[in-house]
Amino acid sequence: MLVGTCEIELLFPGSRSLKEKRFVMKSLKDRIRSRFNVSVAEVDGHGLRQRGALGVAVAASESGYIHKVISQVVKFVEGDGRVEVLDYRVEVL
């Protein structure tokens, strides 16, 4: 079994408060979970109103599948108009 992880650094350009950022983050996490069947959590930037990071994890028997799913998740996040993807890192263990 292989496990793939991805940390996605995000910018919330329209966020005027932590409450607004948390609303967008929760919505994004819920949509990613339901669409891609992966584990996802906020992993950084908890106290910052315009910055944050998502951690995504997926388990599979083939690394190709892991890279495919993570690539789809990143594209999905990039397509969300409420956030900008600043950077992301993928690791397969």
Side-chain angles (χ1 to χ4, degrees), residues 71-92:
S71 175
Q72 290 174 342
V73 170
V74 171
K75 286 182 183 180
F76 179 78
V77 174
E78 288 175 334
D80 190 306
R82 302 171 295 176
V83 298
E84 293 178 23
V85 174
L86 299 175
D87 193 17
Y88 67 94
R89 290 171 295 289
V90 178
E91 186 175 357
V92 177

Side-chain angles (χ1 to χ4, degrees), residues 18-54:
L18 281 173
K19 185 176 181 179
E20 190 173 334
K21 175 195 147 188
R22 288 185 185 120
F23 175 80
V24 172
M25 184 69 86
K26 181 178 179 345
S27 168
L28 196 54
K29 289 187 310 184
D30 291 345
R31 291 173 49 219
I32 290 169
R33 270 190 206 106
S34 69
R35 178 171 284 196
F36 298 102
N37 194 27
V38 297
S39 295
V40 61
E42 183 176 359
V43 295
D44 198 10
H46 300 284
L48 304 173
R49 78 176 161 87
Q50 289 194 325
R51 297 288 296 262
L54 285 176

